[in-house]
Amino acid sequence: MNDVVIGTGEAVVFWILGPLALAGALGMVLSRNAVHSALWLINTMLALGVFYVVQEAPFLGAVQIIVYTGAIMILFLFVLMLVGRDTSDSVVETLRGQRVAAILLGIGFAGLVGAGIARATRDLPVAGLDAVQGGDTSNIEAIAQLLFTRYLLAFEVTSALLITAAVGAMVLAHIEREPGTRRTQKELSRARFLTDRPQTLPGPGVHARANSVAAPALLPDGRPAEDSFATGIDPQEVDQMPRPTGRAQLGSPDAALGTLDPAPLDGGRQP
Amino acid sequence: MDTVAADGLLAWSWLLIALPLAGAAVLLLGGRRTDRWGHLLGTGTVVTAFVLGLLCTLQLADAGGRPVSVELWTFIETGSLDVPVGLLFDPLSAVFVLLITGVGALIHIYSIGYMAHDPRRRRFFAYLNLFVAAMLLLVLGDNFVVLYVGWEGVGLASYLLIAFWHERPAAATAAKKAFIMNRVGDVGLALAIFLMFAQLGTVTYDGVFGSVGALAGGTVTAIGLLLLLGACGKSGQFPLQAWLPDAMEGPTPVSALIHAATMVTAGVYLIARSAPIYDETPTARAVVLAVGAITLLIGAIVGCAQDDIKKVLAYSTVSQIGYMFLAVGLGPAGYVAGLAHLLTHGFFKAGLFLGAGSVMHAMNDAVDMRRFGGLASRMRITFVTFGLGYLALIGFPFLSGFYTKDAIIEAAFDRGDGWGYVLGGVAILAAGLTAFYMTRLMLMTFFGRPRWDEGVHPHESPSVMTAPMVLLALGSVLAGYLLVVAFPLEEWLVPVFGRPEAAEHVVAPLVVSALVTVVMLLGVASAWMFVGRREVPVTAPARVSPVVLAARRALYADTVNESLFMRPGQWLTRALVFLDNRGVDGAVNGLAAALGGSSSRLGRTQTGFVRSYALGMLGGAVVVAGALLAVTAG
Amino acid sequence: MTLTHYLVLAAILFTIGAVGVLVRRNAIVVFMCIELMLNSVNLTLVTFARAGGTLDGQVMAFFVMVVAAAEVVVGLAIIMSIYRTRRSASVDDANLLKY
């Protein structure tokens, strides 16, 4: 009793967005960079949102796009930026046989479930949702009626779950610091004036021939200024840009000092 | 046995046990604080107990010797087994109480001098008091369980006292040997008590003796034989005689009190007390006879070849207790004779041991008679008292041994059958041997040329030691006459054993006495021939006849015990240990190791990699999906 | 074109997500794969709601989304705190719980 006939338009949408969703899923699994994975996943989720709308669930489609794609995936990207964005997965599989077994089992699972579903739903009657929505009752109204009647308890429990999750996340992400250990700006500046060098440290790249943060400042004799090194970054050798010829004709201060070679940097260029 | 409830002083007879027990408790718990006066307290309690025992006995005599029972409390109360703790003060108990407390008091006094220089004298007196308490409990208890408690108590005290000088390996070993061999006998006694309870449902003397006649003959015989096993263990009778000579490693007063006068006669007491049981079983009684006769000969033969003065006396004790077993094995005719010999033996053997202790005291604790000699002039009191004990032991006419030993031999002949002649002959032969080895002892110790070690200066012992010896010597001389003629023990014990019918004498008593005396004189004479006439070699001659060699080795009793029980026991133990280590433990440990190994190998699959686990889950999901599909499609 | 197509597509997406969980080591990517699996289930729920003619499936999908949101928040917080102590977001590095 195929009440509802699936129209050609829907078929067209499916055959366009279905492969796109698949491509997004595969891309997520296969891309080495986690940010790319997230973008691929967003692609799939958008496609699924459209599917929801097509399948008479406009509310869920909107939620999918706004909440899932908009909020949750942004949260993913946010955490990715905090955690190891630049560490791409190595291609080498450490667990022996894991990849092969996973792919074989995946193909087997997909085959079995797909075949089972195809077999079970070949003649699935499509009742359609016209009886419960459409006309006077919109999709949102119908869902709201269900949520606040039959599923009221589950809905309330869900709110408790969300509160708990929010508190839990705060607790987990919070860094406990002993009260009083944090130094105020006043204390910091007072401490700096007690040192030998009250003025600010030289910025990286200043007096150098590059403005990269990885390039140390150069002293007048060409040596790098040690205290201009950025913490956490290995100092890179300054590219030896050709000096302006005009300057060479004028006679460089380097030449006056008796050397043209830049002083070698500690460690040299990183391989 | 109809008893009457105790009244008057007899109601306080439990003090007999409580006094020495309290003495032992005070001395053991009081520690060093009691060191200065501990020996006086220990002696005082026993002397008081003796006075109390004497008064109780007089009251008993006034009442015509009717047995008196003293109910104390109920020890064990169960559905079918009630064990009351009560005392039975009857003529038999009374003579034992007097012997234990009397001889015990004298030996306590003697020990004050003998142990004067021992740093642990207080503990010695505590153990002696403990022994006296346990021994009195043994003879006063009115049921077999109380008797058993006392029986184990004297065993414990004996163990503690043999090992009193436990720093000497020989003493420690001897104590262990005595303890283990006593356990063998105690198992027999315990089994006998179990059997009584199982068959009769009671363990009181009244209950058992009243209903033993209703039992099947085999059961009664079994009870009798098991009781005999217990008696043999405690009294050093064949085949459990080997521990008693070794027990001489203990201090000499212990040898005198425990291993001569009192504890080792507990077996005789047990058999005499159980007379109603043996009345029902001629088989067990015959075995008692056989044990007595065999032990009597073994003790006498081995005694002839020993050079250790205390060992000679110990084998003499074994032999004399053999006489007593022989007597009580003869049945009603012999009980009184056996008990009379027990009492006189208690006097003269205690006196002999104290004399030996006095000699050892003089000779720097030497025991080898080959190094004595010529002591008669140096130690007059010891010589005289020891000599009187000697004469009493060998049965010199009209001294105590003469009366009581003759009575036993007469009773043996009075059996009337062939066995009676055999037993009487054995007893007479042993009397001759006794005369031989005792004369040998006397000659080697007190006569001849001095053969002392360098630096030994014999001297008489202090009066605190000689006074008890004198009293015991008096007892040795007079006890036989008193017990047999003046105040017949036979009359006194009528309430216990009944009045025996006047025996028809197969051989006239006069003839027996004459025969015994002649044989005794022959023994003395042959001892003079072999020992007295010649110089005694300081070291034992190596070339001797096989008989002498066997006697020196105590007729190979230790060898037999070791090869029959010790070695197989050790093999069995080793086999069991091996089986336990390799078999039982091996199976258990092997199972544990197998489980442990396989589980640790299984544990390797728990790699901690969450992706491996997820792979397993996906595999499971595939299987479930496949199964579902197979079911629905099929 | 029937609803079966949606269901098969959901099954394939679910499988891809599962395989992704198995082969990726970055914990955040693993999380994304789990989200993909949840989404494929949602698609199934919506499809069956349409076939059955009631809205219960859609309500269920809604609850799945809510729970997924909560799960993502807590999960990411856990990943961050692990990263803070171990300087690593690899699921293979957290393997202390083993034999």
Side-chain angles (χ1 to χ4, degrees):
Chain A
M1 68 168 214
N2 249 345
D3 297 345
V4 177
V5 180
I6 295 173
T8 320
E10 189 179 345
V12 170
V13 168
F14 180 85
W15 286 117
I16 293 174
L17 288 183
L20 272 180
L22 274 180
L26 285 173
M28 177 197 70
V29 174
L30 294 179
S31 56
R32 285 178 59 193
N33 192 318
V35 178
H36 297 173
S37 288
L39 294 175
W40 282 115
L41 183 59
I42 289 172
N43 174 36
T44 303
M45 284 181 172
L46 287 173
L48 289 182
V50 175
F51 282 151
Y52 297 163
V53 175
V54 170
Q55 299 217 63
E56 300 176 68
F59 172 67
L60 275 184
V63 170
Q64 170 82 0
I65 290 166
I66 295 169
V67 174
Y68 239 125
T69 321
I72 294 181
M73 286 317 293
I74 291 303
L75 187 62
F76 264 102
L77 283 172
F78 194 72
V79 173
L80 267 177
M81 293 304 152
L82 279 174
V83 177
R85 172 193 59 81
D86 50 342
T87 54
S88 307
D89 264 10
S90 125
V91 244
V92 183
E93 174 60 57
T94 47
L95 301 183
R96 192 155 46 88
Q98 173 85 4
R99 196 170 284 173
V100 177
I103 290 168
L104 285 180
L105 278 179
I107 291 171
F109 185 76
L112 282 172
V113 174
I117 285 174
R119 194 172 171 285
T121 62
R122 196 181 304 133
D123 304 318
L124 186 70
V126 180
L129 294 170
D130 294 336
V132 290
Q133 67 184 37
D136 290 343
T137 322
S138 72
N139 173 249
I140 295 177
E141 275 180 75
I143 285 182
Q145 264 177 8
L146 267 183
L147 264 186
F148 292 109
T149 54
R150 193 190 300 172
Y151 294 103
L152 181 63
L153 181 65
F155 187 73
E156 291 299 328
V157 173
T158 310
S159 69
L161 175 76
L162 283 173
I163 285 284
T164 314
V167 173
M170 280 195 281
V171 168
L172 284 170
H174 181 64
I175 301 173
E176 193 70 31
R177 193 172 273 162
E178 283 289 315
T181 54
R182 185 169 198 153
R183 300 207 289 175
T184 61
Q185 193 179 6
K186 191 176 175 185
E187 287 166 338
L188 284 171
S189 105
R190 190 166 281 166
R192 198 178 78 192
F193 272 89
L194 285 175
T195 61
D196 293 341
R197 189 189 172 108
Q199 74 270 37
T200 51
L201 297 173
V206 185
H207 311 305
R209 295 190 182 92
N211 59 359
S212 159
V213 76
L218 289 184
L219 293 175
D221 60 355
R223 283 185 301 114
E226 301 271 338
D227 43 10
S228 72
F229 288 167
T231 52
I233 297 175
D234 288 328
Q236 303 289 315
E237 190 177 344
V238 182
D239 285 340
Q240 290 297 313
M241 288 195 297
R243 293 177 177 247
T245 47
R247 194 143 180 203
Q249 286 165 351
L250 288 173
S252 79
D254 295 347
L257 289 168
T259 176
L260 271 175
D261 296 330
L265 289 165
D266 295 343
R269 184 182 287 275
Q270 295 293 317
Chain B
M1 248 192 324
D2 40 333
T3 57
V4 293
D7 58 349
L9 199 59
L10 279 172
W12 294 87
S13 54
W14 55 271
L15 272 176
L16 286 172
I17 301 165
L19 278 173
L21 196 62
V26 168
L27 294 184
L28 283 178
L29 300 176
R32 297 224 178 84
R33 269 157 292 175
T34 59
D35 268 352
R36 275 193 306 119
W37 42 269
H39 52 284
L40 298 177
L41 176 72
T43 311
T45 56
V46 179
V47 171
T48 315
F50 173 65
V51 173
L52 185 64
L54 198 60
L55 295 174
C56 286
T57 309
L58 289 176
Q59 192 191 335
L60 186 72
D62 276 347
R66 276 173 70 84
V68 172
S69 70
V70 184
E71 293 295 327
L72 294 180
W73 72 88
T74 301
F75 178 35
I76 298 170
E77 189 170 14
T78 62
S80 54
L81 173 66
D82 290 341
V83 180
V85 172
L87 304 183
L88 175 70
F89 203 92
D90 68 351
L92 180 60
S93 306
V95 296
F96 269 92
V97 166
L98 289 183
L99 174 71
I100 294 159
T101 54
V103 175
L106 290 178
I107 289 172
H108 274 74
I109 294 168
Y110 174 91
S111 303
I112 294 176
Y114 189 84
M115 302 296 285
H117 305 298
D118 195 294
R120 284 177 295 173
R121 179 168 67 167
R122 166 186 59 82
R123 191 176 300 184
F124 180 77
F125 275 88
Y127 292 160
L128 274 189
N129 266 359
L130 181 67
F131 166 77
V132 170
M135 190 72 201
L136 287 171
L137 183 68
L138 194 163
V139 298
L140 281 173
D142 74 344
N143 64 62
F144 279 99
V145 171
V146 174
L147 175 136
Y148 188 77
V149 173
W151 192 268
E152 294 293 341
V154 294
L156 170 69
S158 161
Y159 169 76
L160 291 171
L161 285 166
I162 296 171
F164 187 72
W165 290 318
H166 52 73
E167 60 275 3
R168 297 207 313 230
T173 315
K176 204 157 70 179
K177 186 174 177 183
F179 199 74
I180 290 170
M181 293 192 80
N182 265 298
R183 289 287 79 65
V184 176
D186 293 350
V187 167
L189 179 56
L191 287 177
I193 295 173
F194 297 160
L195 207 53
M196 285 173 205
F197 168 61
Q199 297 293 328
L200 302 170
T202 176
V203 290
T204 61
Y205 293 151
D206 275 346
V208 171
F209 299 155
S211 54
V212 73
L215 283 181
T219 312
V220 183
T221 305
I223 292 177
L225 289 177
L226 288 168
L227 287 175
L228 175 64
L229 180 61
C232 284
K234 194 59 85 189
S235 293
Q237 296 297 290
F238 179 82
L240 299 174
Q241 81 278 21
W243 69 269
L244 185 52
D246 284 11
M248 299 301 136
E249 288 293 336
T252 306
V254 172
S255 309
L257 177 61
I258 300 183
H259 304 121
T262 53
M263 185 188 86
V264 290
T265 59
V268 183
Y269 169 79
L270 179 65
I271 291 177
R273 178 58 86 191
S274 310
I277 295 176
Y278 286 97
D279 285 343
E280 300 290 331
T281 164
T283 317
R285 183 160 269 167
V287 177
V288 175
L289 265 181
V291 164
I294 292 172
T295 315
L296 164 64
L297 267 184
I298 289 178
I301 292 171
V302 177
C304 294
Q306 298 293 316
D307 289 333
D308 179 332
I309 183 169
K310 285 180 75 179
K311 285 257 166 97
V312 175
L313 291 176
Y315 278 106
S316 167
T317 305
V318 170
S319 168
Q320 297 302 312
I321 297 171
Y323 269 113
M324 299 170 209
F325 268 63
L326 178 67
V328 294
L330 286 169
Y335 285 130
V336 174
L339 287 170
H341 193 56
L342 190 156
L343 293 175
T344 56
H345 173 259
F347 281 105
F348 59 68
K349 188 52 66 64
L352 284 172
F353 265 113
L354 295 191
S358 177
V359 169
M360 288 162 56
H361 205 63
M363 303 296 289
N364 290 356
D365 287 334
V367 291
D368 187 356
M369 296 190 296
R370 294 183 183 278
R371 308 230 167 228
F372 293 169
L375 286 173
S377 56
R378 297 296 188 101
M379 308 175 68
R380 292 228 165 263
I381 303 176
T382 303
F383 170 61
V384 172
T385 55
F386 198 94
L388 287 173
Y390 152 74
L391 291 176
L393 172 56
I394 64 173
F396 196 79
F398 310 113
L399 296 186
S400 55
F402 170 77
Y403 290 105
T404 53
K405 204 187 285 182
D406 274 13
I408 293 173
I409 297 171
E410 278 169 27
F413 278 120
D414 287 350
R415 260 177 79 99
D417 54 3
W419 284 111
Y421 286 102
V422 170
L423 294 169
V426 164
I428 291 177
L429 174 63
L433 287 170
T434 307
F436 174 83
Y437 66 72
M438 284 308 293
T439 312
R440 175 173 171 269
L441 186 152
M442 285 297 288
L443 291 172
M444 290 173 83
T445 305
F446 291 104
F447 298 100
R449 193 178 59 81
R451 302 178 298 275
W452 312 330
D453 283 337
E454 295 278 321
V456 174
H457 305 291
H459 54 87
E460 187 53 273
S461 298
S463 54
V464 74
M465 286 167 67
T466 50
M469 288 155 58
V470 170
L471 285 175
L472 286 172
L474 278 177
S476 316
V477 174
L478 299 176
Y481 176 77
L482 290 175
L483 289 174
V484 176
V485 182
F487 307 103
L489 191 64
E490 203 165 352
E491 290 295 324
W492 174 247
L493 288 176
V494 161
V496 183
F497 297 121
R499 189 178 297 281
E501 62 270 32
E504 281 183 37
H505 291 304
V506 179
V507 183
L510 204 60
V511 176
V512 171
S513 295
L515 201 57
V516 171
T517 310
V518 168
V519 171
M520 181 266 287
L521 287 175
L522 275 177
V524 172
S526 53
W528 169 254
M529 294 273 290
F530 281 107
V531 182
R533 285 194 316 165
R534 289 179 290 181
E535 184 66 22
V536 177
V538 173
T539 52
R543 291 172 55 86
V544 288
S545 68
V547 179
V548 177
L549 199 63
R552 274 193 197 155
R553 301 265 168 85
L555 295 182
Y556 304 109
D558 284 337
T559 319
V560 169
N561 282 343
E562 281 176 17
S563 52
L564 270 187
F565 301 108
M566 194 186 89
R567 297 266 152 65
Q570 285 175 337
W571 292 333
L572 183 66
T573 315
R574 265 183 226 131
L576 284 176
V577 166
F578 182 82
L579 189 69
D580 189 53
N581 280 348
R582 295 292 162 80
V584 179
D585 284 9
V588 173
N589 291 345
L591 186 63
L595 281 177
S598 57
S599 66
S600 71
R601 226 151 271 154
L602 270 177
R604 292 278 152 191
T605 60
Q606 302 297 311
T607 55
F609 291 115
V610 75
R611 296 190 295 139
S612 298
Y613 304 154
L615 188 66
M617 285 169 68
L618 183 62
V622 170
V623 170
V624 169
L628 272 176
L629 202 60
V631 168
T632 52
Chain C
M1 170 73 208
T2 61
L3 292 190
T4 308
H5 289 84
Y6 286 111
L7 297 174
V8 171
L9 174 68
I12 293 170
L13 287 178
F14 185 91
T15 310
I16 291 172
V19 173
V21 169
L22 296 185
V23 298
R24 296 305 299 263
R25 266 170 293 171
N26 189 327
I28 298 171
V29 178
V30 168
F31 238 97
M32 290 183 206
C33 295
I34 293 172
E35 293 304 315
L36 178 63
M37 291 160 81
L38 287 170
N39 269 292
S40 73
V41 171
N42 275 355
L43 179 60
T44 317
L45 284 170
V46 169
T47 308
F48 273 116
R50 188 181 176 199
T54 59
L55 281 172
D56 296 272
Q58 291 191 12
V59 173
M60 213 52 69
F62 174 74
F63 279 128
V64 169
M65 285 179 186
V66 174
V67 173
E71 170 232 336
V72 163
V73 166
V74 176
L76 287 177
I78 291 173
I79 289 172
M80 269 183 64
S81 62
I82 289 177
Y83 182 79
R84 216 178 271 148
T85 54
R86 306 177 69 104
R87 312 306 299 175
S88 160
S90 168
V91 290
D92 283 359
D93 286 348
N95 65 345
L96 284 179
L97 196 67
K98 59 181 173 184
Y99 50 85

